[in-house]
Amino acid sequence: MSTHTSTWTAASGAEEPTGATRVPAVADGAGTDVGTAGPRSGRGRWLAGALAVLVLAGLVSAAVQAIASRLPIPTDTNIPRALITWSSVAAVGLLAVLFSSSRLPAWARHGAVVALLSALGTATVAIQLHGTYYYLQGLSIDQSFRTQYLTRLTDSAVPADMNYADIAPFYPSGWFWPAGRLAALTDMPGWMAYKPAALFTLGVVPAFAYWLWARLATPRIALCVGLVTVAAGLAEGVVEPYSWAVAAVLPAMAVLFWRSVAPGRTRDIAQLVGVGVLLGGALCLYTLYAAYGAMSLVVLAAVGSWLAGAGRRKAAFRAAFVSLVVVAVPSALIALVVWTPYLLSVLTDGGGANVAARFLPPDSAAWPDPMLDVTAWGALLAVGFGYAIWRLVSGSGHDRAYLVPLAVLVACCYAWYALSTAAIAVGTTLLAFRMETVLMVTLGTAGIFALRRGWQLLNRRMAARPGASVPRIGVVAGVATTIVAVTVLQQNSDHLDPLIETAYSDSYPSGPNARGVVDDTRDERWSDALAASIDERTGRPEDDVVLLTTNYAMLSVRPYWGFQQSTPHYANPLSDYIERSQFITDLAASDDAAEFEQRLDSSPWDAPTAFVLRTEDDGMHMTLRGDVFPKSVNVSFDDVVFDPDLFEGWSSEEVGPYTVYVRDGS
């Protein structure tokens, strides 16, 4: 797995890879780059190593999940927390030993670090979810549409919208498609597969971040960045694992791009193609972060050109533009794998209204300040913030080649907040609160460089003192670091408690929840019973049924097509969400069964095959949602009532609080 043999010097606090080609010193205004890069022949070995890292991290994550699911732990106890605490102590302690060790060969050290980071990233959540099939947040809120998408792509390998029939998918499928294919291969329902797929991602992402930084900087820096990636993931990215996979690599992507556009540097086509591959992957996983990443690269190109000086600025701008084009080509080609069907639909039929970004929670309206938290994690972010800004403006520093791009990423985060606020004037936002994830991992990474610099200065001072014992200081620092790292991991996972509780309290489709409690007020509790009634009456495969339902949870666990999405913010822009809602309202207002069926037959979209409505004394009810941005709660709830007489001649059955209607001959 190694591209070179590394020497880890315990006393100096800095290490240089041996057997690698030294990157020429570069003046970033002033100051030099201490990064290293292997010869071109080593890039193939590095890519092979990256594949090995992904395989190893995936196997370790799968093993940890299997062990966690079999632990005989009673629910509603603090035993999972205790196990997480001491497994974290063990993992971080072993990482600290690897940090200071120089006896193991590079391949063994890399493999051990990858395995420990993967185990740590997986176990912290897997142990707490050992007794439920659900991932964090169960089927509630945004997890409902994510689970719906995975259910869709488990049912079929053909990319499709999560809800609507015959509409090109809008939400990127780069994470959901392989997860769905693996679920289908193992004969696992999509709603059940979400948890292992998410935990797998939590294990692989820090390991991959480590491998990237081992190439960009040094193995020790990379190990620490891997720990920061785990901590930042627990603090922000864990709920949405596929977006976290993008956020975690953005700092490395920025540093890699800076190497080709910084003043005095020679453009490296292979590295720029690598940046394009990362950006293209981001476009296939999470468009918002990809857009932010693209903006950050443009800003980095501008900063590098400006720092070249007045006499060379025009030539530097031209060179930076070429670098951006080199990045854009592979990123666009990769993105087209996912985006081609949607783009063709837009070109052919035109686009629709996208209201997904019409959301302004308090976190988007406030200035992001995670570095002001009075915790060990907040202190690391604050140190990183100060050090990045200092290196940006100081014009010197041997690690400035890392800190300048990190500082630009931080500045772009705050600029994104400002642009998001400005976008309110045109009736939308840029979902600025999502940038806090990027801000945390970037500041945490900068904090590692700050601590490394402080450690170097301390070692120099101690070495200059007669009788100083540097190795003993290293042992003390290693123990202290282990304690602080475990404390940070615990603090960052505390906010997961309500999300874990939801995973245990949300009902399974069969009725009971993970604790065996049956709550008849939960929509998802009735999913299997409703599906049995629909399947019996239609006689069709579930993916050949269009369902108009007020129980939207059914669409998360069964591959029915939905006539309407649960909320406009999850709906495909091509779906005509507002027009569909009006059509449903008009259907309910039909004077009699004949008019009702006539309207169904004249539907411009695939008409519902079956209805699932809530049974009340005054008729059959369903809930429609509307967009009421910029209100803080950006969704309105509209009750639509159908007269039971409209379904005259239809096959029907009462199932709990619902009534199923299926049109004869459907």
Side-chain angles (χ1 to χ4, degrees):
M1 270 193 324
S2 176
T3 60
H4 54 258
T5 302
S6 300
T7 302
W8 295 36
T9 308
S12 68
E15 65 274 3
E16 290 289 348
T18 59
T21 301
R22 180 91 166 134
V23 172
V26 177
D28 300 331
T32 60
D33 178 3
V34 296
T36 59
R40 293 184 185 277
S41 60
R43 286 175 179 148
R45 293 195 299 272
W46 184 88
L47 290 174
L51 179 60
V53 163
L54 294 176
V55 171
L56 176 60
L59 291 174
V60 170
S61 179
V64 170
Q65 291 183 54
I67 294 170
S69 66
R70 289 167 173 77
L71 291 174
I73 306 174
T75 58
D76 301 321
T77 72
N78 289 318
I79 295 176
R81 176 75 52 105
L83 290 175
I84 290 168
T85 297
W86 291 102
S87 62
S88 297
V89 169
V92 175
L94 288 172
L95 286 169
V97 171
L98 290 170
F99 182 90
S100 58
S101 172
S102 58
R103 296 181 179 180
L104 287 175
W107 67 266
R109 190 165 50 247
H110 283 313
V113 171
V114 165
L116 287 169
L117 288 174
S118 178
L120 186 61
T122 304
T124 308
V125 178
I127 291 175
Q128 297 185 83
L129 296 177
H130 76 281
T132 176
Y133 289 124
Y134 285 136
Y135 186 60
L136 298 171
Q137 221 170 25
L139 283 184
S140 299
I141 315 177
D142 286 358
Q143 295 295 34
S144 62
F145 87 84
R146 296 169 190 147
T147 306
Q148 183 184 8
Y149 204 12
L150 186 50
T151 294
R152 172 69 55 220
L153 294 179
T154 298
D155 178 68
S156 173
V158 179
D161 183 74
M162 67 187 77
N163 185 76
Y164 300 102
D166 302 323
I167 293 180
F170 172 70
Y171 210 80
S173 59
W175 185 85
F176 294 90
W177 191 88
R181 292 299 81 219
L182 186 60
L185 184 65
T186 56
D187 200 27
M188 182 181 294
W191 67 269
M192 224 187 247
Y194 192 94
K195 173 185 165 182
L199 292 173
F200 177 89
T201 306
L202 297 184
V204 168
V205 166
F208 185 64
Y210 162 77
W211 192 245
L212 282 175
W213 279 97
R215 174 74 172 189
L216 291 173
T218 61
R220 283 182 170 175
I221 290 292
L223 187 156
C224 295
V225 171
L227 278 174
V228 163
T229 304
V230 174
L234 291 174
E236 282 291 326
V238 65
V239 177
E240 198 174 39
Y242 52 95
S243 71
W244 171 234
V246 177
V249 302
L250 286 177
M253 186 178 77
V255 171
L256 189 60
F257 181 72
W258 180 247
R259 288 184 166 189
S260 286
V261 299
R265 295 301 297 262
T266 302
R267 184 188 306 119
D268 189 318
I269 299 298
Q271 289 187 358
L272 290 173
V273 169
V275 173
V277 170
L278 291 175
L279 185 60
L283 286 164
C284 293
L285 292 172
Y286 199 70
T287 316
L288 184 75
Y289 286 161
Y292 162 81
M295 181 190 80
S296 300
L297 296 184
V298 171
V299 173
L300 279 169
V303 170
S305 302
W306 182 263
L307 291 178
R312 301 178 55 194
R313 197 163 289 156
K314 184 177 292 187
F317 271 118
R318 287 196 297 267
F321 177 78
V322 173
S323 296
L324 288 171
V325 171
V326 174
V327 170
V329 172
S331 64
L333 292 175
I334 293 172
L336 286 175
V337 174
V338 166
W339 284 99
T340 294
Y342 182 80
L343 294 175
L344 289 176
S345 294
V346 170
L347 291 173
T348 303
D349 304 319
N354 178 19
V355 301
R358 287 169 58 85
F359 181 41
L360 187 65
D363 288 349
S364 282
W367 180 268
D369 54 3
M371 58 280 195
L372 298 184
D373 290 344
V374 187
T375 61
W377 176 243
L380 176 66
L381 301 186
V383 169
F385 183 87
Y387 192 62
I389 299 302
W390 178 46
R391 283 303 194 207
L392 179 64
V393 301
S394 66
S396 63
H398 70 291
D399 53 4
R400 194 165 180 262
Y402 301 108
L403 274 301
V404 168
L406 295 180
V408 169
L409 278 186
V410 171
C412 286
C413 279
Y414 284 96
W416 196 271
Y417 273 79
L419 292 171
S420 182
T421 301
I424 296 173
V426 293
T428 189
T429 75
L430 299 182
L431 299 176
F433 69 98
R434 297 289 188 194
M435 289 302 117
E436 190 153 349
T437 302
V438 181
L439 189 62
M440 280 191 178
V441 71
T442 305
L443 291 179
T445 301
I448 294 302
F449 283 96
L451 294 180
R452 195 272 293 265
R453 183 57 179 161
W455 177 246
Q456 289 174 336
L457 294 175
L458 177 62
N459 271 317
R460 288 179 187 175
R461 295 194 59 162
M462 294 301 298
R465 295 174 59 181
S469 178
V470 174
R472 185 172 299 172
I473 294 173
V475 171
V476 173
V479 173
T481 300
T482 299
I483 295 172
V484 171
V486 173
T487 300
V488 166
L489 291 172
Q490 287 190 154
Q491 290 172 341
N492 285 12
S493 63
D494 284 346
H495 74 104
L496 300 180
D497 289 346
L499 308 181
I500 293 168
E501 171 58 29
T502 304
Y504 280 92
S505 60
D506 277 8
S507 299
Y508 293 146
S510 58
N513 61 23
R515 298 188 177 101
V517 176
V518 177
D519 183 354
D520 288 346
T521 66
R522 299 290 309 183
D523 288 348
E524 65 273 9
R525 172 261 183 274
W526 300 99
S527 297
D528 280 359
L530 289 167
S533 178
I534 294 169
D535 295 348
E536 179 185 353
R537 279 159 178 73
T538 62
R540 295 184 180 185
E542 291 176 340
D543 57 8
D544 193 31
V545 173
V546 178
L547 184 62
L548 179 59
T549 178
T550 194
N551 185 331
Y552 294 103
M554 288 190 66
L555 302 175
S556 295
V557 300
R558 298 282 184 150
Y560 298 114
W561 297 106
F563 183 78
Q564 184 62 303
Q565 180 58 280
S566 58
T567 175
H569 303 90
Y570 302 160
N572 193 314
L574 304 176
S575 67
D576 303 323
Y577 185 92
I578 294 175
E579 293 80 3
R580 284 177 184 258
S581 291
Q582 185 60 53
F583 178 80
I584 294 169
T585 302
D586 293 341
L587 269 181
S590 299
D591 292 331
D592 51 38
E595 183 180 354
F596 179 72
E597 297 214 7
Q598 182 181 12
R599 282 179 168 168
L600 275 178
D601 291 338
S602 62
S603 168
W605 314 278
D606 288 348
T609 307
F611 286 68
V612 173
L613 305 174
R614 185 174 290 274
T615 310
E616 302 286 354
D617 293 339
D618 60 341
M620 304 293 108
H621 289 244
M622 80 166 296
T623 300
L624 291 176
R625 296 179 175 92
D627 169 48
V628 290
F629 176 84
K631 290 186 177 181
S632 183
V633 178
N634 62 328
V635 177
S636 64
F637 297 86
D638 302 309
D639 188 37
V640 178
V641 183
F642 290 80
D643 188 332
D645 292 340
L646 297 177
F647 298 95
E648 182 181 349
W650 290 46
S651 176
S652 66
E653 180 183 8
E654 288 192 17
V655 179
Y658 303 98
T659 300
V660 173
Y661 293 99
V662 174
R663 193 176 187 181
D664 285 350
S666 62

